[in-house]
Amino acid sequence: MAFFSRRRPGAAPAPAPSQAREWLNSLLFAVVAATLLRWSAVEAYVIPSESMEHSLLVGDYLFVSKLHYGPQTPQTPLQVPLTHQTLPLLGLKSYSDLIQLPTYRFPGFSSVQRNDVVVFHVPHEQQRPADLRTFLIKRCVAIAGDTLAIRQGQVFVNGRPEPIAGQPQTTYFLAVPQPNDEVRQALHDEGVVDYTQPDGIPAMGTNPETGQLGYFISCPASVAAYFKKQPYVQSLTVVTPTAELFPDVADFDVSGARSAVPRKWQLDDYGPLPVPKKGQTIALTPANAAIYYKIVSQYEHNQGISWKDGMIQQNGRPLTRYTIKQNYYWMMGDNRHNSEDSRFWGFVPEDHVVGKAVFVWLSLDPHADFWHRVRWSRLLRPVS
């Protein structure tokens, strides 16, 4: 019956799409599908630094699940698809921040749990919108509502020792009478790496406190125990860097706000510190205001906030009570003496969380030759 056809009787058939048009349609579909998959389900990342060694190595390529905690709607919609901050090769901005939207997180399989390895946006990177800040990967050590403390390197949560996940590293000084190939070979065999050296093997140095020759190394406790037994090792001592930490530095890398009541905590001797929880109402005083300053002034989008005389001000008046609007987490690197983490800049807001690292799909050793570049033993290894 003729009325089922849009084409007039006797009219020529419509021309088939050109090959270029078909390629363009296929490319457009692939970009849209990849963008949706990257936003909603899984994204690939590479480990660029040693802050998570020895659990994750420089050169590990990860898949990060966004389904675990739920995908989050974009805050910055004007962005070139499949880019993050810049356009590949050109180095130009890949986004415009003219439009900023409120975000919503869809339900996930779970919430962030203690010992999860989490990818999130750098909280203190104020020059970019929150969803386009640099990615970091750390281990969640404490969740909202916990109280965290560190004593001689041991993490305590709610007054109890926290079970150690992954392969945390500590920095030691390995004192030896003189450098030799046996020591260097042992460092290589035990996976002790210094990424500042061309061959990856730590360089010989001097302990400024004792004047001994040796090596500054970062390694897990099991490797340290191995070196303590070796006849060429004179001593192996823990080296703890000193630094000004949060909350004495109330606004890391953003402003000069400092706590009115210094605590002088250090990397291996820290806390106790409560981790803020959604709905919790805080009485603010000069003794604790620095803990919550970034939450009030930056993460929860309050207006008229400033810092004066060791107190949070709103519209020029001291703020004495505040109710937390979202959950927060405490993140630390497994390479405990070589990680810029929550001990420096404080809590990670829930809306900065990207996803959970689930497994390593490829691992490339930056110091190996071509034939030994792939770390075959790490392929498809779950992240724990």
Side-chain angles (χ1 to χ4, degrees):
M1 297 178 66
F3 59 84
F4 283 109
S5 174
R6 293 180 180 271
R7 184 167 59 88
R8 298 192 307 274
S18 67
Q19 187 172 14
R21 177 74 175 273
E22 289 182 350
W23 274 103
L24 182 61
N25 289 340
S26 298
L27 178 61
L28 181 61
F29 175 80
V31 169
V32 171
T35 300
L36 288 174
L37 181 67
R38 181 176 181 240
W39 164 75
S40 64
V42 68
E43 190 169 358
Y45 297 85
V46 61
I47 299 297
S49 71
E50 66 271 24
S51 71
M52 282 296 291
E53 299 243 356
H54 204 263
S55 303
L56 294 172
L57 307 182
V58 172
D60 280 353
Y61 288 76
L62 313 175
F63 276 133
V64 173
S65 167
K66 299 184 178 180
L67 295 174
H68 276 77
Y69 310 139
Q72 196 169 20
T73 57
Q75 176 181 329
T76 310
L78 301 180
Q79 182 183 4
V80 178
L82 302 180
T83 64
H84 182 50
Q85 295 173 344
T86 59
L87 295 171
L89 303 178
L90 300 177
L92 302 174
K93 279 176 58 175
S94 64
Y95 66 93
S96 170
D97 55 8
L98 290 177
I99 299 177
Q100 294 289 283
L101 303 177
T103 59
Y104 172 79
R105 188 180 296 278
F106 288 89
F109 296 148
S110 67
S111 59
V112 179
Q113 303 294 313
R114 298 186 199 100
N115 280 323
D116 282 359
V117 178
V118 181
V119 171
F120 55 93
H121 296 289
V122 176
H124 56 81
E125 198 173 81
Q126 296 295 296
Q127 68 270 31
R128 298 186 181 95
D131 60 337
L132 287 167
R133 294 173 183 168
T134 302
F135 294 117
L136 284 183
I137 183 167
K138 307 287 182 186
R139 188 177 300 278
C140 178
V141 174
I143 62 175
D146 285 342
T147 296
L148 170 121
I150 306 173
R151 296 290 177 262
Q152 295 182 335
Q154 170 67 58
V155 173
F156 290 80
V157 176
N158 302 324
R160 298 184 296 272
E162 180 68 8
I164 298 175
Q167 300 182 61
Q169 291 198 152
T170 300
T171 299
Y172 303 90
F173 185 77
L174 179 72
V176 296
Q178 58 184 7
N180 58 65
D181 291 340
E182 181 184 12
V183 180
R184 290 176 58 82
Q185 187 62 47
L187 292 171
H188 177 270
D189 293 344
E190 295 300 318
V192 177
V193 181
D194 182 350
Y195 291 98
T196 66
Q197 299 301 314
D199 58 0
I201 303 298
M204 192 77 172
T206 302
N207 188 333
E209 295 183 359
T210 65
Q212 292 176 294
L213 293 175
Y215 300 87
F216 288 96
I217 66 172
S218 294
C219 64
S222 58
V223 174
Y226 166 81
F227 279 116
K228 285 181 180 179
K229 299 176 183 177
Q230 305 310 306
Y232 51 77
V233 175
Q234 293 178 317
S235 63
L236 186 70
T237 54
V238 174
V239 178
T240 306
T242 59
E244 284 194 301
L245 303 177
F246 175 87
D248 287 357
V249 177
D251 198 12
F252 179 81
D253 218 21
V254 177
S255 73
R258 302 177 63 83
S259 176
V261 182
R263 290 163 174 80
K264 299 182 180 180
W265 293 340
Q266 291 302 313
L267 297 179
D268 285 347
D269 186 14
Y270 195 96
L273 181 71
V275 182
K277 185 175 184 179
K278 183 179 179 179
Q280 178 184 12
T281 298
I282 308 295
L284 297 172
T285 69
N288 69 1
I291 297 173
Y292 303 100
Y293 174 57
K294 295 179 74 168
I295 292 174
V296 178
S297 65
Q298 298 168 28
Y299 304 151
E300 300 196 348
H301 311 294
N302 298 292
Q303 301 299 313
I305 303 298
S306 60
W307 179 264
K308 184 179 179 182
D309 299 329
M311 280 293 289
I312 302 171
Q313 309 274 321
Q314 186 166 32
N315 300 321
R317 301 183 64 180
L319 187 66
T320 58
R321 293 181 68 82
Y322 185 78
T323 300
I324 304 297
K325 299 177 183 178
Q326 62 177 316
N327 287 325
Y328 290 83
Y329 303 97
W330 190 262
M331 306 288 186
M332 289 171 54
D334 283 1
N335 195 351
R336 294 291 167 81
H337 292 163
N338 294 279
S339 173
E340 187 180 280
D341 51 34
S342 285
R343 293 168 293 179
F344 289 84
W345 34 254
F347 311 108
V348 174
E350 188 170 28
D351 63 6
H352 282 48
V353 171
V354 174
K356 179 180 180 179
V358 287
F359 68 90
V360 177
W361 62 273
L362 176 65
S363 185
L364 302 178
D365 186 344
H367 294 115
D369 58 37
F370 176 81
W371 302 107
H372 302 92
R373 181 62 55 89
V374 178
R375 302 182 181 113
W376 296 103
S377 63
R378 297 189 62 79
L379 268 59
L380 304 182
R381 173 180 289 194
V383 175
S384 61

